[in-house]
Amino acid sequence: MSSVPDAVVVGSGPNGLAAAFVLASAGLSVTVYEAAPTPGGGCRTEELTLPGFRHDVCSAVHPLAAGSGFFQRYDVPAHGVRLLKPPVAFAHPLGGGRSAVVTGSVEETAGRLGSDASTYTSLMRPLVDHADGIVDSVLSTMRAVPSDVAGAALFARLGLQSVSHLARRFQGVEARALVSGVGAHSIRPLDRAGTGGVALLLSLLAHSVGWPIVEGGSQAITDSLVAAVTQLGGEVVPDVTVRRLEELPDARLVMLDTSPSSLLTLAGDRLPSGYARRLSRYRYGPGVCKVDWALSEPVPWSSAECRRAGTVHVGGDSYEVARAESEVCHGRHPAQPFVLCTQPGVVDATRAPSGRHTLWTYCHVPSGSDRDMSAQIASQIERFAPGFSDVVLAKSVETAADCADRNPNYVGGDIACGVQDLRQTFGRPVWRWDPYRTPLRGVYLCSSATPPGPGVHGRCGELAALSALRHELGIRRPPELAPGMRRLHERRPA
Ligand SMILES: Cc1cc2nc3c(=O)[nH]c(=O)nc-3n(C[C@H](O)[C@H](O)[C@H](O)COP(=O)(O)OP(=O)(O)OC[C@H]3O[C@@H](n4cnc5c(N)ncnc54)[C@H](O)[C@@H]3O)c2cc1C
């Protein structure tokens, strides 16, 4: 693209690409600059271990994409991306070959929880009945009247609780472990207010849209978005690190799929001091140590249910999980970390040569840690899958420090690009009525450091692009997310 584009996007993560797609659908010419050699940010797939073994470098499980209004409007299947639902969304192994599992059905899940069955049903059934409205209001700017007020109110009442509080509703080890394992995705101590919201959101997504895995790898989502942007006349340019806003072409809109810290650097002293000061107080959370494994056969879980699960939460009972997460948040490396495992081979045979498998794992570690946690991760898996080490062909380790080096959005290895406590859920990156708009004319933040926060859902990018269209170009109606619209600069008054 030789002439100056209408819009420039810095960063090609799912939010940068979502913003680019919305703007291109509105008829703008768009150029996306990406620092890495390939687009996708946290949504990529590579042969990290051995030839033919395709591993998701970051995101692997996509309940948020499946539930996201952006991806529903974008129509993921129509763009050739297949979301494959494992029969068990997530499982949590316990001693003696037992496990707790969540499937699509609330009643089936409850039926395996013994005396906790009715408590589980009475907790989850009303939420699942309001699933669309709840997901819609959570994956939003969080500043509008919810489409389903009753659902949003119910979710807020329960979700403001801590994971520990929710877990105490149950008598049995299984239900308590399930809630703690899924709540640990919050990357916060499990006794903190609001962590229950993460557990409930991810559980209700398991019961409504599932926890799908992308056929061929998460990269397929990125490739489809890049193709869609390109089809609309846009351009994605890899290997370009933008260091200052002045380096960019003189576009009307600049969308930053970056961290708040990068916004400070990119803008230099152009930001008003009050905004810059508040931005500099933005807080990042713990990091992750990620380990990918090439396996000669599936993980030999003692529990048969774990062998059918897309995701397995490994860490023992609720007390063990809570202890491990608390240690991390206090700056220590747990000897027995809580481990998130995804086994794409349960539904996707394309990830490894015939008969072979990949395993995706990570555990939380203190911010900036350069410690290789693969031994601790392997030993936790071995507790519930004896013989695991015998099926390992190769592994690839990315410490939290490596993760931050690879993607500047993951400061200290924080994959959420900022702590998601109550203050930073609503006030990310700083509290403003329009969180995407910066004080600089035409410059918008569109990364997961804006509402609704982390995950591959594209909503931060979509909402930022809609805000930019409204404020800078007076376009109030969201564009149809479809090709073939007249280019905006053709009909814009001179
Ligand atoms: C290990 C890991 C596991 C995860 N698992 C899941 C999961 O299973 N499911 C899920 O939904 N989410 C998961 N996530 C989170 C998810 O990947 C992120 O929330 C999501 O990718 C955020 O999208 P984004 O577009 O805001 O930012 P990113 O995806 O981080 O993309 C930002 C892009 O901007 C580029 N960039 C930044 N600054 C500049 C600059 N100055 N110049 C040029 N380019 C720049 C970066 O190189 C990067 O490519 C995971 C993340 C990680 C790291």
Side-chain angles (χ1 to χ4, degrees), residues 88-140:
V88 171
F90 58 92
H92 194 122
L94 294 156
R98 287 175 308 147
S99 63
V101 301
V102 171
T103 64
S105 154
V106 173
E107 288 68 29
E108 189 187 6
T109 302
R112 298 177 193 193
L113 293 175
S115 60
D116 283 322
S118 60
T119 311
Y120 188 85
T121 307
S122 59
L123 176 67
M124 290 312 300
R125 174 48 57 205
L127 290 168
V128 174
D129 288 345
H130 287 277
D132 289 349
I134 292 173
V135 175
D136 203 45
S137 53
V138 174
L139 295 186
S140 74

Side-chain angles (χ1 to χ4, degrees), residues 345-370:
V346 167
V347 280
D348 183 7
T350 70
R351 300 295 187 95
S354 178
R356 308 295 205 208
H357 286 260
T358 60
L359 180 71
W360 172 106
T361 65
Y362 71 75
C363 69
H364 300 138
V365 290
S367 174
S369 159
D370 60 0

Side-chain angles (χ1 to χ4, degrees), residues 61 84-92 99-105 108-109 112 178 206 210-213 303-313 341-343 346-347:
V61 199
L84 308 174
K85 267 200 247 179
V88 171
F90 58 92
H92 194 122
S99 63
V101 301
V102 171
T103 64
S105 154
E108 189 187 6
T109 302
R112 298 177 193 193
L178 268 188
W211 277 29
I213 282 167
S303 152
E305 295 294 36
C306 290
R307 290 180 232 141
R308 303 196 308 132
T311 300
V312 185
H313 294 144
C341 303
T342 293
Q343 22 192 32
V346 167
V347 280

Side-chain angles (χ1 to χ4, degrees), residues 10-16 33-36 38 40-43 57-65 240-243 257-258 262 266 288 290 360 362 403 406-410 415-416 446-449 453-457:
V10 178
S12 68
N15 286 313
Y33 294 111
E34 168 55 53
T38 54
C43 197
V57 180
C58 303
S59 62
V61 199
H62 294 286
L64 292 167
V240 176
T241 301
V242 178
R243 297 184 197 285
D257 185 11
T258 68
S262 292
L266 286 162
V288 305
K290 170 135 187 296
W360 172 106
Y362 71 75
C403 179
R406 195 201 269 258
N407 183 340
N409 285 28
Y410 303 143
I415 67 174
C446 70
S447 70
S448 61
V456 175
H457 44 64

Side-chain angles (χ1 to χ4, degrees), residues 90-364:
F90 58 92
H92 194 122
L94 294 156
R98 287 175 308 147
S99 63
V101 301
V102 171
T103 64
S105 154
V106 173
E107 288 68 29
E108 189 187 6
T109 302
R112 298 177 193 193
L113 293 175
S115 60
D116 283 322
S118 60
T119 311
Y120 188 85
T121 307
S122 59
L123 176 67
M124 290 312 300
R125 174 48 57 205
L127 290 168
V128 174
D129 288 345
H130 287 277
D132 289 349
I134 292 173
V135 175
D136 203 45
S137 53
V138 174
L139 295 186
S140 74
T141 61
M142 303 189 197
R143 280 144 177 82
V145 178
S147 55
D148 173 356
V149 174
L154 174 68
F155 182 76
R157 184 169 63 74
L158 295 167
L160 286 173
Q161 299 177 13
S162 68
V163 167
S164 316
H165 195 86
L166 280 181
R168 280 198 294 272
R169 288 173 172 242
F170 300 102
Q171 310 290 319
V173 178
E174 283 84 357
R176 288 183 169 197
L178 268 188
V179 175
S180 304
V182 70
H185 284 257
S186 62
I187 330 184
R188 297 186 57 218
L190 301 188
D191 57 358
R192 299 291 160 85
T195 48
V198 173
L200 293 174
L201 175 69
L202 292 175
S203 300
L204 83 84
L205 285 167
H207 292 307
S208 52
V209 294
W211 277 29
I213 282 167
V214 181
E215 185 177 49
S218 302
Q219 182 76 46
I221 295 181
T222 295
D223 291 347
S224 95
L225 281 167
V226 170
V229 169
T230 312
Q231 213 173 21
L232 289 167
E235 192 181 17
V236 180
V237 188
D239 267 328
V240 176
T241 301
V242 178
R243 297 184 197 285
R244 305 288 295 201
L245 291 179
E246 298 86 73
E247 292 171 8
L248 295 171
D250 195 16
R252 293 185 74 172
L253 301 182
V254 174
M255 312 297 297
L256 301 177
D257 185 11
T258 68
S259 70
S261 318
S262 292
L263 166 57
L264 280 168
T265 313
L266 286 162
D269 55 11
R270 288 172 57 192
L271 286 172
S273 57
Y275 182 82
R277 201 168 40 248
R278 287 195 291 153
L279 215 52
S280 67
R281 290 197 206 115
Y282 188 78
R283 287 162 298 123
Y284 298 92
V288 305
C289 175
K290 170 135 187 296
V291 186
D292 286 284
W293 310 81
L295 307 179
S296 59
E297 49 188 86
V299 179
W301 301 110
S302 305
S303 152
E305 295 294 36
C306 290
R307 290 180 232 141
R308 303 196 308 132
T311 300
V312 185
H313 294 144
V314 180
D317 65 25
S318 57
Y319 299 104
E320 287 180 83
V321 175
R323 191 173 54 231
E325 293 306 285
S326 167
E327 281 196 61
V328 171
C329 294
H330 287 95
R332 295 190 293 272
H333 293 81
Q336 294 198 307
F338 169 69
V339 181
L340 291 99
C341 303
T342 293
Q343 22 192 32
V346 167
V347 280
D348 183 7
T350 70
R351 300 295 187 95
S354 178
R356 308 295 205 208
H357 286 260
T358 60
L359 180 71
W360 172 106
T361 65
Y362 71 75
C363 69
H364 300 138

Side-chain angles (χ1 to χ4, degrees), residues 1-6 29 31 33 235 249 489:
M1 194 177 288
S2 47
S3 58
V4 172
D6 297 319
S29 55
T31 300
Y33 294 111
E235 192 181 17
H489 54 81

